[in-house]
């Protein structure tokens, strides 16, 4: 149940339109003294807009998003959504826990992707707490939901501080062993203009290895060194220079090296730095997660439009999805993704917005 039926006089809380069944959805806008504004809807715990300044003080929205719930309910390629119960792919939708085989819906070729057709991105979350700096959303995915075992309680907190850090904290608990993997699926273009390709953006990924995949995007189970391959982003690299060496663009999980700590939140390590040399906007990503899926909007093909009705073409936005590795429930050597009933899972990621 949505515990906030109106905005209770809070001008940063607004109606986000109605679902097909008539239920109201909500959008909350966090703002700081630097003028940065981040909007989060309780539909899919979705980031719908991130407005940051460029080096001339011009604010633009740098993520793909809409101002009403309808396109999200119809289905987008996960624009800004919270992904769960399991982000990325589970091969053939199958895994086994304690000799019991579970089958999940197949929604991506032969495989299960991003929690199934009605994952955490397509439900209305309860609003637990809001103030101008933070929003806490919560949901319970019941035993058997999208084929997963256990009643899973998930909480996501989005908070914006005065240093332009958007921190996302995930927390989860279950009453049966179950695989989990959460991420945020924001599509960035730091120019704020989604008619531009992201090829001129410069990227650093703090990863000396990645998980190679087969032709259906399932990891082979090995870890491979990025050195001397197009996957080497250890030094700042123009994405366009590397993307031409891949068949369709990047859609790969990188194994993060945990070296540089965040100066304030030092349980988080720097995973990536993305910079748009033209606008001067830069995004640093810190996380507690072991992996990051770098996806260059390869499946955007002009059929979906921006809020202003302009077509979204291939490589006009990119995702940097902090997460555990794809298909982990079937790869015992990958970091564990099975949550046990007696533990509370926590995970955090920071998007830190800077100007160069
Ligand atoms: C993830 C996947 C991609 C694609 C997008 C959504 O990033 O790795 O292959 O499915 O989500 O379109």
């Amino acid at each position: 149940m949505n515990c906030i039926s109106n905005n209770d006089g809070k001008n940063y809380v607004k109606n986000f339109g109605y679902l097909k069944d008539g239920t109201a959805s909500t959008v909350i806008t966090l703002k700081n003294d630097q003028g940065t504004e981040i909007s989060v809807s309780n539909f899919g715990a979705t980031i719908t807009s991130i407005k940051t300044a460029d080096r001339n003080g011009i604010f633009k929205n740098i993520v793909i998003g809409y101002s009403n719930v309808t396109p999200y309910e119809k289905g987008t390629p996960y624009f800004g959504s919270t992904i769960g119960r399991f982000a990325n792919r589970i091969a053939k939708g199958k895994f086994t826990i304690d000799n019991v085989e579970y089958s999940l819906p197949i929604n991506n070729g032969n495989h299960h992707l991003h929690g199934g057709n009605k994952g955490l991105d397509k439900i209305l979350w309860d609003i637990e707490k809001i103030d101008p700096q933070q929003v806490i959303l919560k949901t319970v995915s019941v035993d058997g939901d999208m084929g997963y075992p256990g009643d899973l309680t998930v909480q996501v907190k989005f908070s914006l501080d005065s240093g332009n850090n958007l921190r996302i904290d995930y927390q989860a608990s279950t009453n049966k062993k179950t695989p989990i993997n959460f991420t945020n699926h924001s599509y960035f273009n730091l120019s704020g203009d989604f008619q531009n390709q992201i090829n001129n953006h410069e990227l650093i990924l703090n990863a000396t290895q990645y998980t190679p995949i087969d032709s259906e995007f399932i990891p082979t189970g090995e870890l491979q060194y990025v050195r001397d391959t197009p996957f080497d982003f250890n030094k700042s690299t123009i994405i366009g220079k590397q993307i031409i060496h891949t068949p369709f663009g990047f859609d790969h999980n990188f194994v993060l090296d945990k070296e540089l700590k965040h100066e304030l939140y030092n349980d988080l390590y720097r995973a990536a730095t993305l910079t748009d040399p033209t606008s001067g906007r830069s995004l640093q990503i810190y996380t507690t997660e072991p992996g990051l899926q770098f996806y260059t909007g390869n499946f955007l093909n002009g059929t979906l439009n921006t809020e202003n009705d302009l077509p979204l073409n291939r490589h006009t936005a990119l995702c940097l999805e902090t997460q555990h590795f794809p298909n982990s429930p079937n790869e015992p050597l990958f970091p564990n993704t099975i949550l046990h009933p007696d533990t509370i899972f926590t995970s955090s990621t920071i998007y830190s917005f800077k100007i160069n």
Side-chain angles (χ1 to χ4, degrees):
M1 201 192 74
N2 184 353
C3 65
I4 295 185
S5 53
N6 58 46
N7 71 16
D8 297 337
K10 299 181 175 83
N11 60 9
Y12 54 91
V13 183
K14 293 210 161 62
N15 180 289
F16 196 56
Y18 296 87
L19 304 183
K20 279 183 269 176
D21 70 2
T23 317
S25 64
T26 303
V27 65
I28 298 105
T29 300
L30 311 175
K31 194 169 177 173
N32 69 9
D33 291 346
Q34 301 199 38
T36 299
E37 277 187 32
I38 293 167
S39 297
V40 176
S41 172
N42 64 335
F43 186 79
T46 301
I47 296 176
T48 63
S49 155
I50 297 182
K51 290 184 186 146
T52 66
D54 69 5
R55 66 163 74 87
N56 299 316
I58 296 171
F59 283 82
K60 278 194 180 168
N61 178 19
I62 56 166
V63 290
I64 300 176
Y66 302 107
S67 57
N68 186 283
V69 74
T70 305
Y72 293 102
E73 190 182 24
K74 276 193 194 146
T76 73
Y78 310 95
F79 293 155
S81 312
T82 293
I83 309 295
R85 292 185 182 198
F86 198 96
N88 219 314
R89 292 170 179 81
I90 296 181
K92 308 259 163 68
K94 294 214 185 296
F95 62 90
T96 302
I97 299 177
D98 295 338
N99 299 318
V100 179
E101 187 181 73
Y102 294 91
S103 292
L104 310 175
I106 303 301
N107 61 336
N108 188 256
N110 296 314
H111 309 292
H112 177 84
L113 175 72
H114 291 338
N117 346 317
K118 197 167 182 196
L120 300 184
D121 60 297
K122 298 232 175 40
I123 53 142
L124 200 63
W125 293 55
D126 293 339
I127 300 173
E128 284 286 292
K129 188 175 173 203
I130 41 174
D131 61 49
Q133 276 75 48
Q134 63 168 347
V135 45
I136 301 179
L137 302 173
K138 189 177 171 184
T139 195
V140 179
S141 168
V142 295
D143 192 7
D145 182 18
M146 288 286 115
Y148 289 91
D151 295 321
L152 182 76
T153 303
V154 188
Q155 185 180 284
V156 187
K157 176 163 104 179
F158 298 86
S159 45
L160 175 66
D161 71 14
S162 55
N164 266 351
N165 298 299
L166 168 65
R167 181 172 171 140
I168 309 177
D169 295 297
Y170 303 87
Q171 193 177 297
S173 58
T174 181
N175 58 5
K176 277 187 195 168
K177 287 184 195 169
T178 191
I180 52 162
N181 193 16
F182 305 118
T183 194
N184 179 271
H185 211 300
S186 287
Y187 284 68
F188 293 95
N189 185 323
L190 299 183
S191 76
D193 179 351
F194 292 86
Q195 300 307 290
N196 295 335
Q197 290 201 322
I198 43 73
N199 291 14
N200 77 324
H201 283 32
E202 294 171 13
L203 180 66
I204 302 174
L205 291 177
N206 293 326
T208 43
Q209 290 179 306
Y210 76 109
T211 50
I213 46 177
D214 67 16
S215 61
E216 298 187 348
F217 299 85
I218 301 298
T220 59
E222 316 143 83
L223 305 185
Q224 223 162 64
Y225 286 97
V226 297
R227 203 167 161 182
D228 300 327
T229 77
F231 298 95
D232 191 351
F233 286 91
N234 282 285
K235 291 202 190 91
S236 186
T237 305
I238 297 169
I239 292 172
K241 279 197 181 161
Q242 306 285 78
I243 214 169
I244 52 170
H245 300 299
T246 65
F248 304 108
F250 291 96
D251 194 354
H252 296 84
N253 171 64
F254 288 74
V255 179
L256 296 173
D257 299 328
K258 297 200 161 178
E259 282 157 4
L260 293 168
K261 289 181 171 187
H262 191 279
E263 60 278 17
L264 280 183
Y265 305 105
N266 53 29
D267 49 334
L268 283 87
Y269 293 85
R270 192 183 294 179
T273 304
L274 179 71
T275 306
D276 169 31
T278 311
S279 67
R281 289 193 187 90
S282 179
L283 163 66
Q284 288 178 356
I285 300 184
Y286 295 82
T287 191
T288 56
E289 284 294 307
L292 179 146
Q293 183 86 5
F294 173 36
Y295 170 60
T296 44
N298 311 335
F299 300 119
L300 297 175
N301 59 7
T303 53
L304 289 170
N305 286 352
T306 63
E307 176 79 7
N308 306 323
D309 271 340
L310 296 169
L312 286 162
N313 292 310
R314 200 170 176 201
H315 303 162
T316 53
L318 61 81
C319 305
L320 295 162
E321 308 159 43
T322 54
Q323 55 182 241
H324 274 60
F325 305 171
N327 199 31
S328 293
N330 297 306
E331 291 292 351
L333 297 180
F334 285 179
N336 172 54
T337 52
I338 307 297
L339 180 65
H340 290 232
D342 51 354
T343 47
I344 292 180
F345 169 83
T346 60
S347 161
S348 302
T349 290
I350 291 176
Y351 295 140
S352 185
F353 302 102
K354 310 270 182 211
I355 299 170
N356 266 10

